[in-house]
Amino acid sequence: MFVFPHGLQLKHCKRQSFPLPDFFTFVFTDVHGRHLYTTCLRFYEVIPHEDIVQFLKLMYGEDMSTFCAEGMAVFSPKVICVVSQFPFYR
């Protein structure tokens, strides 16, 4: 919920232009007032065209290979999180 607050969303754009990574932080506070500092780096990786075609065929029961435009790629977000008791924002 905290890493993907708007849900897991795939992005698509031209194969040569990757979506830019982004960096964000948040702080958890427990009932005793102690903090857990979280730093996240979200980046994107290309989903192979074969996996997309297989997924669409599984979902819709037919070949949807024309759904993906030529020269376009679909990207899946991945996140690396560091959770610490100390604020390592730098």
Side-chain angles (χ1 to χ4, degrees):
M1 293 269 315
F2 293 101
V3 176
F4 297 111
H6 304 291
L8 180 63
Q9 298 177 352
L10 302 177
K11 292 192 175 195
H12 69 282
C13 58
K14 291 183 180 177
R15 200 171 289 278
Q16 295 83 9
S17 61
F18 275 75
L20 294 175
D22 58 342
F23 172 84
F24 55 95
T25 61
F26 49 90
V27 179
F28 293 109
T29 305
D30 67 10
V31 295
H32 302 292
R34 294 179 294 222
H35 297 290
L36 280 178
Y37 300 92
T38 306
T39 304
C40 297
L41 174 67
R42 181 173 34 215
F43 59 97
Y44 295 87
E45 288 188 344
V46 177
I47 300 174
H49 181 73
E50 298 80 29
D51 291 348
I52 296 168
V53 171
Q54 182 180 3
F55 174 74
L56 291 174
K57 188 173 184 177
L58 180 69
M59 290 295 293
Y60 298 108
E62 56 187 66
D63 185 15
M64 301 284 287
S65 58
T66 57
F67 176 77
C68 301
E70 190 67 31
M72 298 295 282
V74 178
F75 298 89
S76 171
K78 297 200 175 184
V79 178
I80 298 173
C81 293
V82 175
V83 180
S84 175
Q85 294 178 349
F86 305 101
F88 292 118
Y89 292 127
R90 289 185 265 176

